[in-house]
Amino acid sequence: MLPTPCHVIGDVHLGVAPSEAERALLHLLRGLPSRGRSLVIMGDLFDFWFSWRHVMPRTGFRVLAALADLHDAGIPVLWIGGNHDCWGGAALQAETGAQYTLEPWRGRIGPWDALLAHGDGLREVEDAPYRRLRNVLRHRWSIAAYSWLHPDFASRLAMASSQTSRKGRALDGGAGLLAVGTRQLETPGGPDLVLHGHSHVPMLVPAGRGTYGNAGAWYLDRQYLLIEERQVSRRQWCDTGADVVLDVATMPNEHAASAHDPVIRRV
């Protein structure tokens, strides 16, 4: 279980993100102990990350240090691995103290029954070719072979090949992942809150018998989700600290954690 208030960020793509996006993220992370009680990273914090045995990429080292500081301050961090940062779970977990997983995460965030997944490979038809490629890329033999490449060359190769999958937003406007989330929210005994990343499309909408959300891409929008006891809100980060609330989804009654009719308020 993760305590609320819980901040949810996604798709930062450190390494190609503008420097101001990284500075804004550091500001959020360093102020989080006074603003919240847990943090969720919805994947692709890095545009590329690989865990070699004796070296680690220097990209985003200040962000990793800030995550370690959160852990030391007693703030739990859940990191859902994405398609860009899926090759470093053990090292990232050891260095930051975050709970890192490549599998969908189902659990409580405060009173919310939540299902979290990065979103890559979830669309049944459109993502079928990618799922086959993913099986190859994440196979232990492929990882072992890649580890023999020099880190400088391997990083350049990965960054060049990742341009297509990180560019802009999903061509379907996030509709594919919304459909996946809606089916999960319609399932009896299913969650009442489904969160994805990957599409880079920020969203907070009623779906099925619950609420669907996507924090979008921090490197594009500086948006995040805030999960509280009675509501989830989509917010726009502001350097002054007075963040703008864009959408709010409220839980209608005290016993609605397993199934509810959410109320979305546009602000």
Side-chain angles (χ1 to χ4, degrees):
M1 175 177 173
L2 294 175
T4 56
C6 174
H7 289 67
V8 181
I9 61 172
D11 293 272
V12 183
H13 289 276
L14 293 171
V16 297
S19 58
E20 57 269 23
E22 183 173 353
R23 286 195 298 269
L25 178 60
L26 284 168
H27 193 173
L28 183 148
L29 295 177
R30 289 167 178 166
L32 200 145
S34 64
R35 297 160 55 110
R37 297 180 60 202
S38 62
L39 172 70
V40 171
I41 301 168
M42 291 300 302
D44 288 354
L45 180 65
F46 297 97
D47 196 63
F48 169 68
W49 180 274
F50 190 88
S51 178
W52 285 275
R53 180 172 297 180
H54 298 297
V55 300
M56 57 190 297
R58 68 180 186 180
T59 299
F61 77 93
R62 292 186 301 169
V63 172
L64 291 179
L67 293 177
D69 288 343
L70 288 178
H71 173 73
D72 291 345
I75 304 293
V77 178
L78 171 64
W79 189 329
I80 310 294
N83 53 307
H84 287 256
D85 54 8
C86 60
W87 299 284
L92 291 172
Q93 189 163 283
E95 294 300 324
T96 66
Q99 176 188 350
Y100 182 97
T101 178
L102 287 175
E103 300 298 324
W105 183 89
R106 175 83 180 268
R108 292 280 176 183
I109 302 180
W112 301 82
D113 181 357
L115 176 61
L116 280 54
H118 177 63
D120 57 316
L122 292 184
R123 298 178 303 173
E124 184 174 354
V125 177
E126 300 92 326
D127 292 342
Y130 165 74
R131 284 194 296 272
R132 292 190 289 269
L133 176 62
R134 183 178 63 182
N135 290 335
V136 174
L137 293 176
R138 297 188 184 183
H139 194 279
R140 60 188 179 90
W141 292 353
S142 301
I143 295 172
Y146 204 81
S147 69
W148 283 94
L149 297 178
H150 189 281
D152 287 345
F153 173 74
S155 297
R156 286 197 301 270
L157 179 64
M159 294 286 280
S161 63
S162 71
Q163 291 183 17
T164 301
S165 61
R166 71 162 178 264
K167 267 185 180 176
R169 309 183 197 278
L171 296 178
D172 65 0
L177 287 180
L178 173 59
V180 172
T182 299
R183 289 194 296 271
Q184 294 167 331
L185 290 162
E186 290 172 340
T187 303
D192 53 57
L193 177 64
V194 171
L195 301 182
H196 290 147
H198 190 59
S199 70
H200 296 182
V201 180
M203 189 180 300
L204 185 65
V205 296
R209 298 160 59 236
T211 302
Y212 176 83
N214 192 311
W218 180 271
Y219 85 107
L220 294 173
D221 302 302
R222 321 283 198 277
Q223 290 188 23
Y224 66 96
L225 301 175
L226 181 64
I227 304 173
E228 300 174 277
E229 287 293 303
R230 303 287 298 143
Q231 67 179 32
V232 181
S233 55
R234 181 168 65 95
R235 300 185 174 218
Q236 177 71 58
W237 170 260
C238 181
D239 288 334
T240 63
D243 297 351
V244 178
V245 179
L246 303 173
D247 300 321
V248 178
T250 59
M251 191 179 286
N253 60 66
E254 295 180 1
H255 305 289
S258 61
H260 69 284
D261 296 320
V263 177
I264 302 289
R265 185 171 75 253
R266 308 298 181 191
V267 180

